Amino acid sequence: MAGAFAALPGVVADDDGVIQHAGGPWAEQRALAAGRAVVPRADRVVIEVAGADRLTWLDSITSQALGSLAPGESTELLVLDPQGRVEHAAAVLDDGASTWLIADRGDAAGLAKWLTMMRFRAAVTVAVRDDLAVVGAMRGGVAADRLVGAALRGGDLPLVWADPWERVSPGGWQYARAEEHPGADYAFLEALVDDAGEASLVDLDVAGALAAEALRIAAWRPRWAAEVDERSLPHESDWLRSAVHLDKGCYRGQETVAKVHNLGHPPRRLALLHLDGSENVLPARGDAVLLEDEEVGQVTSAAHHHELGPIALAILSRRAPEDAALVVRHDDAAIAAAQEIIVPGDAGRTAEVPRLTRLSRRRPAEA
């Protein structure tokens, strides 16, 4: 849908119609963080799953426990392949009649197709709702209050998803050992709005994707469009924190999730990189992260943060030393990077497995 925000003066959008900024990315970050601004989310797509079996069906095929999800409760799910690698990700909100999924635009068509293929005899329908838009804001300010008022209603409930990243979800697990996890302050909301609802918000301060991404990166929050590649396990980006229920029943990929968490270590780990800003250059997704001359990982997201300066999320080899100074290679530039550990190298192996006494192979004594 054509967004009402796109017609505002000073707004700069990319070729996909995603508003990048409205004239001042750093000021927009501060306004968004303070709850004064809304952020149009043209890079997010709404999928409606309806039908009597919707919650038990989604529970059976995804990483999250959804069978008893209450109306108005927010969570998120992952779809994994048989080897436990991330294929799809979505925010989840139920209104008592439909379950609403919000997915990154590049993932939405594939997720909707896969869900449709998996219906079999379940009493469910799957529909991409291109007639709806997504608008975000931080909870605790005028923007969030207006967002709730503008949101589409599901019965008596405003369709507003609250990002669960603020805390460890029931059945989840956090690998990060930070005393104060930055996600605790990431009180992000996304509302489903129609044309009229979106138009009612255009008098508020507007933040673009650059501002929203900077706050997300600073909160160590993974997303499908950035942190997921063909090898991604949810453990590597600490996604067990909010998107995986470790105690639920069987689903595709569960065996790998349990095995890595209980007995092994994820082969890669997410880290926040504090970048040298002297060259005023930001790396791009996929840029190599080097330890001396050896590639030990890749950048997944990068931004200029209004307080932290230039930062990036990077997926690194588990064996990359946690105290090593790194370099990010961007075109001809070499950007010095200091690590802040998110997922430690020894993450996993949480089960207390008793060690068996090794049986002796000595020959019996001669008589």
Side-chain angles (χ1 to χ4, degrees):
M1 58 188 292
F5 293 101
L8 293 175
V11 163
V12 175
D14 64 13
D15 292 341
D16 297 319
V18 179
I19 293 175
Q20 297 298 302
H21 64 84
W26 287 11
E28 292 165 30
Q29 282 183 51
R30 289 189 286 270
L32 185 59
R36 301 192 308 271
V38 293
V39 54
R41 305 285 278 170
D43 54 349
R44 302 277 276 167
V45 173
V46 179
I47 301 171
E48 181 183 6
V49 180
D53 295 341
R54 66 191 185 283
L55 289 176
T56 54
W57 174 69
L58 285 169
D59 182 280
S60 71
I61 58 176
T62 71
S63 64
Q64 191 55 266
L66 300 171
S68 58
L69 187 70
E73 184 179 356
S74 298
T75 186
E76 68 174 328
L77 62 77
L78 301 175
V79 174
L80 307 179
D81 74 6
Q83 288 74 44
R85 295 182 292 249
V86 178
E87 289 192 337
H88 308 289
V92 185
L93 176 70
D94 194 81
D95 65 11
S98 292
T99 302
W100 301 88
L101 308 180
I102 310 173
D104 285 341
R105 180 164 294 279
D107 187 32
L111 173 58
K113 179 179 179 180
W114 185 82
L115 290 172
T116 301
M117 292 171 57
M118 294 298 293
R119 287 179 304 167
F120 301 112
R121 296 186 179 183
V124 294
T125 60
V126 178
V128 176
R129 293 294 301 270
D130 289 328
D131 58 317
L132 300 179
V134 180
V135 181
M138 288 292 179
R139 190 176 62 243
V142 63
D145 293 340
R146 291 280 301 277
L147 205 61
V148 172
L152 198 70
R153 258 53 186 175
D156 294 330
L157 292 172
L159 297 183
V160 179
W161 175 74
D163 194 328
W165 191 248
E166 287 181 275
R167 59 188 62 86
V168 181
S169 297
W173 189 281
Q174 177 179 301
Y175 290 133
R177 295 172 183 153
E179 291 185 9
E180 296 183 6
H181 196 291
D185 296 324
Y186 190 69
F188 194 63
L189 306 175
E190 287 187 329
L192 278 55
V193 297
D194 58 15
D195 286 334
E198 187 177 29
S200 73
L201 298 170
V202 297
D203 61 310
L204 290 167
D205 290 343
V206 175
L210 294 177
E213 280 294 277
L215 299 183
R216 177 188 70 82
I217 292 168
W220 304 352
R221 211 281 184 240
R223 68 178 295 187
W224 181 92
E227 278 63 57
V228 172
D229 61 21
E230 69 281 356
R231 298 168 52 197
S232 294
L233 299 174
H235 317 66
E236 295 175 335
S237 53
D238 218 6
W239 228 338
L240 272 62
R241 192 172 192 270
S242 59
V244 176
H245 197 295
L246 292 169
D247 300 324
K248 64 165 284 186
C250 185
Y251 59 92
R252 191 174 72 168
Q254 183 193 25
E255 182 178 354
T256 298
V257 168
K259 186 179 295 184
V260 173
H261 179 63
N262 292 317
L263 303 176
H265 300 291
R268 302 183 298 174
R269 58 180 182 85
L270 192 68
L272 182 73
L273 301 182
H274 294 270
L275 305 171
D276 176 14
S278 59
E279 304 233 0
N280 199 29
V281 174
L282 268 184
R285 184 173 187 262
D287 281 353
V289 180
L290 307 176
L291 174 58
E292 296 179 349
D293 293 328
E294 179 186 359
E295 183 172 332
V296 294
Q298 292 185 332
V299 168
T300 60
S301 310
H304 285 289
H305 190 269
H306 69 286
E307 292 179 340
L308 301 177
I311 55 175
L313 291 174
I315 193 76
L316 306 176
S317 167
R318 180 175 75 86
R319 301 190 183 281
E322 295 181 4
D323 59 351
L326 304 174
V327 171
V328 176
R329 177 67 66 184
H330 177 71
D331 296 332
D332 294 330
I335 307 168
Q339 299 181 62
E340 187 172 354
I341 305 305
I342 300 176
V343 177
D346 61 353
R349 196 166 291 182
T350 61
E352 294 293 335
V353 180
R355 291 185 175 273
L356 298 178
T357 304
R358 191 183 184 96
L359 296 177
S360 174
R361 295 185 178 180
R362 290 180 295 177
R363 294 180 181 177
E366 295 182 1

